[in-house]
Amino acid sequence: MNRIREIRENKKLSLKKTTELLKSNDLLTLTPDALAKYERGDRQPNEPTWQALANFFNVSVPYLKGYMVCTRCKGYFIPEDDAVRENIECCPYCMNPYFEGDK
């Protein structure tokens, strides 16, 4: 699942406020309903929309899409459905233990 809602809520933004800010910053014109559908996975944004949202939230597109993104090699992968993200210890490509978004 993507991280749109998680990041938006962490920034304490409502759906309406987020869409207003996207439009006022000339990034994207979107309705709150459309954004909610993206968050729920009912609709998938096209690539320019993913990029605009990533720019707005200051994250990479793969991270926003819900991928694990390595801070060293920038490789990314989608964890298995039954995997617990917190239990993934390192990047399968370079064995780096840190991922984008780690606190």
Side-chain angles (χ1 to χ4, degrees), residues 36-47:
K37 288 178 180 176
Y38 292 156
E39 289 182 350
R40 289 191 307 267
D42 294 345
R43 290 178 53 191
Q44 288 299 311
N46 60 28
E47 287 306 313

Side-chain angles (χ1 to χ4, degrees), residues 50-97:
W50 277 119
Q51 189 61 61
L53 290 168
N55 291 346
F56 177 74
F57 290 122
N58 198 30
V59 297
S60 68
V61 172
Y63 180 79
L64 190 61
K65 286 182 174 183
Y67 301 167
M68 300 289 289
V69 182
C70 178
T71 56
R72 180 185 295 157
C73 73
K74 299 300 180 198
Y76 58 89
F77 62 99
I78 302 172
E80 298 293 323
D81 287 339
D82 59 348
V84 177
R85 288 179 188 269
E86 290 76 26
N87 293 343
I88 299 173
E89 295 182 4
C90 58
C91 173
Y93 307 115
C94 73
M95 306 310 283
N96 180 41

